[in-house]
């Protein structure tokens, strides 16, 4: 059965952060250290000093200028509003005991990981080449969605790593099917760069069509004008990666946080699943 594209796109929209319906969970639950990404140190469970009483960020429009680039590349995949409004029924972390707040923060981390899986599974259903596994993907999607709707106690006890392993089998098969027709290396098979250390690599104009870049370290790599059509980018570290004029048409399992961490231009061609970051040069 072919999935209705409008249905899938609607689900993907639900997996985008709605900060107005969240209690600033990422601004409290997550720790960060003073670095190029954050101007200050903050412990897990401690509210960021920029978080206002209405759970809005007081410097949202000036995060990069204020030294909080890390905040601009983070995305909860809609877990914040799910935990705030569904799992805890609109009761914020300030309204109860410390145990209530701690449980909310722990559950947020779990649901965030599940929502990331939902993003990948939904995207897999939009890939025609992966049609042979679409029925299995739909079943995994239903199971994962049901897991996100458990009680706080059930979510806190969930073995997310085990579930992720099960889903990863399907995502790997999806990758193989899609990349098989996306591009071939000199030896007649798609290029395998899975988990490769490509930090600072000079890959200007590189032919990476159909490449397996799962978990690859591409920090500060030069991919100017590179051809990444049909490449698998799940988990690839794109911090400060130069994607100027690169072609990512048909690249899959690329998330908005990954793209937000990279550099690009008006000439960078992107898959439909993501939007051009506002800090990139040129119109977006």
């Amino acid at each position: 059965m072919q999935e209705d594209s409008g249905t899938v796109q609607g689900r993907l929209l639900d997996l985008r952060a709605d900060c107005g319906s969240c209690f600033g969970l990422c601004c409290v639950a997550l720790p960060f250290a003073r670095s190029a990404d954050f101007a200050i140190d903050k412990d897990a469970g401690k509210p960021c000093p920029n978080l206002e009483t209405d759970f809005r960020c007081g410097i949202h429009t000036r995060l990069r200028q204020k030294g909080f680039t890390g905040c601009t590349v983070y995305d909860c995949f809609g877990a914040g509003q799910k935990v705030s409004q569904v799992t805890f029924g609109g009761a914020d972390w300030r309204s109860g005991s410390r145990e209530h707040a701690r449980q909310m923060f722990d559950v947020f981390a779990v649901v965030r990981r599940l929502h990331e899986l939902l993003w990948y599974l939904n995207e897999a259903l939009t890939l025609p080449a992966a049609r042979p596994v679409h029925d299995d993907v739909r079943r995994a999607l239903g199971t994962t969605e049901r897991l996100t709707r458990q009680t706080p106690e059930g979510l806190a006890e969930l073995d997310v790593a085990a579930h992720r392993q099960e889903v990863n089998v399907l995502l790997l098969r999806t990758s193989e099917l899609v990349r098989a027709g996306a591009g071939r290396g000199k030896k007649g098979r798609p290029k395998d760069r899975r988990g490769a250390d490509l930090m600072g690599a000079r890959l200007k104009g590189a032919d990476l069509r159909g490449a397996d870049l799962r978990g690859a370290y591409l920090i500060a790599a030069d991919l100017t004008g590179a051809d990444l059509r049909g490449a698998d980018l799940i988990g690839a570290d794109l911090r400060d990666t130069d994607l100027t004029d690169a072609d990512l048409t048909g690249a899959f399992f690329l998330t908005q946080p990954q793209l937000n961490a990279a550099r690009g231009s008006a000439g960078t061609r992107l898959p439909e699943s993501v939007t051009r970051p506002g800090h990139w040069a040129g119109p977006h």
Side-chain angles (χ1 to χ4, degrees):
M1 181 180 68
Q2 180 64 36
E3 190 83 8
D4 177 74
S5 61
T7 300
V8 175
Q9 291 303 321
R11 289 200 298 257
L12 286 172
L13 286 174
D14 289 339
L15 295 173
R16 295 186 185 278
D18 176 8
C19 298
S21 299
C22 176
F23 298 131
L25 294 181
C26 65
C27 306
V28 186
L30 305 179
F32 48 75
R34 186 190 299 269
S35 62
D37 293 321
F38 296 101
I40 59 173
D41 295 317
K42 189 190 82 65
D43 295 331
K46 179 181 179 180
C48 174
N50 298 306
L51 185 66
E52 301 185 333
T53 55
D54 61 356
F55 303 111
R56 302 297 180 94
C57 174
I59 60 169
H60 179 70
T61 59
R62 295 171 288 132
L63 283 167
R64 286 182 174 272
Q65 297 93 312
K66 292 290 186 178
F68 288 86
T69 301
C71 297
T72 69
V73 302
Y74 178 80
D75 194 299
C76 71
F77 295 97
Q81 63 258 31
K82 170 74 76 63
V83 172
S84 297
Q85 304 302 330
V86 178
T87 313
F88 285 86
D92 67 70
W93 50 271
R94 288 173 176 161
S95 63
S97 64
R98 288 185 179 180
E99 289 70 25
H100 163 81
R102 187 178 301 112
Q103 184 183 52
M104 196 171 195
F105 301 151
D106 290 344
V107 166
F108 170 64
V110 172
V111 176
R112 198 269 181 191
R113 294 177 70 185
L114 290 173
H115 271 219
E116 184 176 6
L117 291 179
L118 288 175
W119 179 275
Y120 295 138
L121 289 167
N122 273 292
E123 184 176 356
L125 291 175
T126 70
L127 304 171
R131 192 169 288 114
V133 295
H134 277 180
D135 286 344
D136 290 334
V137 170
R138 289 188 191 93
R139 283 190 285 272
L141 185 66
T143 298
T144 306
E145 176 58 37
R146 285 191 293 274
L147 290 176
T148 70
R149 295 186 176 276
Q150 293 185 96
T151 62
E153 292 75 19
L155 284 163
E157 295 175 0
L158 180 65
D159 187 344
V160 186
H163 181 65
R164 190 183 184 94
Q165 265 192 322
E166 293 176 10
V167 171
N168 194 48
V169 173
L170 279 175
L171 299 181
L172 280 168
R173 181 59 182 144
T174 297
S175 178
E176 291 167 357
L177 290 166
V178 176
R179 291 186 300 104
R184 301 275 174 182
K186 292 180 180 179
K187 296 183 180 180
R189 61 178 181 270
K191 306 166 192 67
D192 184 0
R193 300 289 188 273
R194 185 176 180 181
D197 183 353
L198 298 170
M199 292 190 288
R202 297 178 181 178
L203 295 167
K204 184 175 182 179
D207 180 2
L208 293 168
R209 287 174 296 167
D212 184 353
L213 290 163
R214 296 169 63 91
Y217 296 95
L218 287 158
I219 301 170
D222 181 5
L223 286 168
T224 303
D227 191 343
L228 291 152
R229 286 177 291 173
D232 181 351
L233 290 164
I234 194 169
D237 194 333
L238 300 180
R239 284 177 292 170
D240 204 32
T241 304
D242 192 347
L243 297 174
T244 299
D245 296 335
D247 190 351
L248 287 85
T249 306
F252 58 101
F253 296 154
L254 171 67
T255 65
Q256 196 64 48
Q258 286 173 290
L259 201 61
N260 289 348
R263 293 180 287 126
S265 66
T268 305
R269 281 160 283 185
L270 300 173
E272 295 181 358
S273 58
V274 292
T275 58
R276 194 176 306 276
H279 64 278
W280 282 15
H284 54 275

